[in-house]
Amino acid sequence: MKKFLFTIAAGVMLAGCGNGGPSKSQVEAALIQHFEQASGGMRTTFERLDVGGCEKVEGGPGHACAVDGQAVIDVGGRAQREALTATFVFDEVGGAWKVVAAQ
């Protein structure tokens, strides 16, 4: 129980740090939604997802975040793995972070 409470407390403290950009879990949720929409609803997960520092986009909305990892897409019950190394721009829309651009 103590370990669980420590994990929650650490997550809350880390979420408060930074420059107002999305947390790693928010980035992952936004990427899942983005990939599932782009693939016509194919279930997507990520392995070894690493989110670099997110920086506020100058002169525009959102935060640009470097993302590295592996996308795992369920194609007819078969896992298709794709390397993922890109910069995505995330913006908060309606209370949730969304992918608004990819570079």
Side-chain angles (χ1 to χ4, degrees):
M1 183 69 168
K2 286 182 183 180
K3 197 180 246 187
F4 174 75
L5 292 175
F6 176 77
T7 302
I8 295 293
V12 169
M13 289 188 319
L14 288 174
C17 296
N19 55 7
S23 67
K24 180 179 177 181
S25 63
Q26 291 168 323
V27 165
E28 185 170 5
L31 285 172
I32 287 171
Q33 182 183 27
H34 177 73
F35 274 71
E36 288 181 352
Q37 280 181 329
S39 68
M42 288 188 245
R43 185 172 175 267
T44 304
T45 57
F46 295 94
E47 294 178 347
R48 297 181 301 280
L49 188 66
D50 182 35
V51 179
C54 295
E55 298 293 328
K56 178 80 175 116
V57 175
E58 288 187 39
H63 291 75
C65 305
V67 177
D68 187 41
Q70 191 170 59
V72 182
I73 303 165
D74 182 348
V75 181
R78 192 171 170 180
Q80 178 177 331
R81 288 174 165 72
E82 298 290 333
L84 176 66
T85 302
T87 299
F88 291 89
V89 178
F90 299 89
D91 196 17
E92 201 166 7
V93 178
W97 288 93
K98 309 276 184 195
V99 174
V100 294
Q103 302 172 349

